[in-house]
Amino acid sequence: MILDCIAVDDEPLALGLVCKFIEQTPFLNLVGRHAGAVDALKAIHSQKIDLIFLDIQMPDLNGIELARVLDKGADKPRIIFTTAYNQFALEGYKVDALDYLLKPFNYEEFLRAAQKALNYAELINKAPVAAAAPGESEHADDNYLFLKVEYQLVRIALDDILYIEGLKDYVKVHLKGIEKATLSLTSLKALEEKLPSKRFMRVHRSFIVSLDKISSMTKNSLQIGKMNIPVGDQYKEAFGHFLNKWI
């Protein structure tokens, strides 16, 4: 698989180095080099681009701002930031960047990030594209999902999920047999839409539970392992229908 790439940097030496690294990487194809984000944006809208090596500190439009205006979805160009400033790492994570290369970086570090992009692209191409039935996740027939954890995609088996806890911009996925929860930068609502509704239920503004992991329940709360989870008022009707099946 070949990834069509552009490099964006207002520093000529840095831009030249990234382009050199791209050209010596067999699975990367350099289709453009740009000294600013505005020019890069025009190129992105005029041709298919898989991957952008993107500087952050640039005049007119910086790399973070460019990342925010790109189209959403799995087929949008992926981004690897190349910057001399480590204070933008969290912002880079929030705009769904694949990696964050801190200047000066060598070819080994570049190749590691590029390989991550290749792995991601291959993963997306293998994902099912069939339309989902109403109320069901597009991955409802699968037994796993992928979550972005730090700068990588982590495969999570649905059978292993006990419950999911929402924490503002993050979620904590609690898995059986693993003491430490998996932390991912996404919303509980976004994750709820990916999970099959026959197996998972939102019972509180802060909790989604795996229905087959419930050990006991009342109309106001449920127990999963040692965790007692409250049922929120706005979710009691739906949870009550589930509870009535077992009474």
Side-chain angles (χ1 to χ4, degrees), residues 9-196:
D9 201 311
D10 64 330
E11 297 178 7
L13 289 177
L15 181 60
L17 180 64
V18 171
C19 290
K20 176 184 176 182
F21 284 170
I22 292 173
E23 290 172 336
Q24 70 185 71
T25 305
F27 56 84
L28 299 182
N29 177 40
L30 181 64
V31 297
R33 50 191 295 163
H34 305 275
V38 175
D39 287 341
L41 187 58
K42 295 176 183 177
I44 292 166
H45 288 311
S46 64
Q47 61 185 315
K48 177 184 174 296
I49 295 172
D50 301 308
L51 182 61
I52 307 170
F53 290 91
L54 182 61
D55 186 25
I56 293 180
Q57 289 285 64
M58 294 182 290
D60 298 327
L61 186 71
N62 69 41
I64 296 292
E65 291 167 339
L66 174 60
R68 287 175 180 156
V69 301
L70 292 179
D71 293 339
K72 305 297 182 182
D75 57 346
K76 71 174 182 179
R78 309 311 303 185
I79 293 171
I80 294 175
F81 283 117
T82 60
T83 179
Y85 303 93
N86 59 12
Q87 66 264 34
F88 295 109
L90 180 58
E91 288 300 314
Y93 186 55
K94 287 184 177 180
V95 295
D96 206 25
L98 286 179
D99 213 332
Y100 191 96
L101 288 171
L102 194 60
K103 298 176 183 176
F105 52 84
N106 58 33
Y107 181 66
E108 181 182 357
E109 294 168 310
F110 174 90
L111 183 59
R112 190 180 305 119
Q115 184 65 54
K116 187 179 296 184
L118 178 64
N119 293 343
Y120 181 90
E122 291 175 341
L123 179 66
I124 291 299
N125 284 345
K126 292 178 182 177
V129 295
E136 290 291 335
S137 159
E138 65 181 41
H139 300 298
D141 293 332
D142 295 330
N143 199 36
Y144 58 88
L145 57 80
F146 286 90
L147 287 180
K148 189 172 183 184
V149 180
E150 296 181 348
Y151 284 103
Q152 61 182 335
L153 287 174
V154 175
R155 176 170 166 155
I156 304 291
L158 298 188
D159 289 340
D160 290 340
I161 298 175
L162 300 173
Y163 63 93
I164 303 164
E165 182 179 0
L167 301 167
K168 292 186 178 180
D169 295 331
Y170 293 83
V171 296
K172 291 174 70 174
V173 182
H174 297 265
L175 304 171
K176 66 180 181 182
I178 301 177
E179 184 175 347
K180 184 178 180 181
T182 298
L183 188 67
S184 177
L185 180 61
T186 187
S187 68
L188 203 61
K189 179 176 176 57
L191 196 51
E192 181 182 9
E193 293 172 352
K194 295 180 181 180
L195 294 167

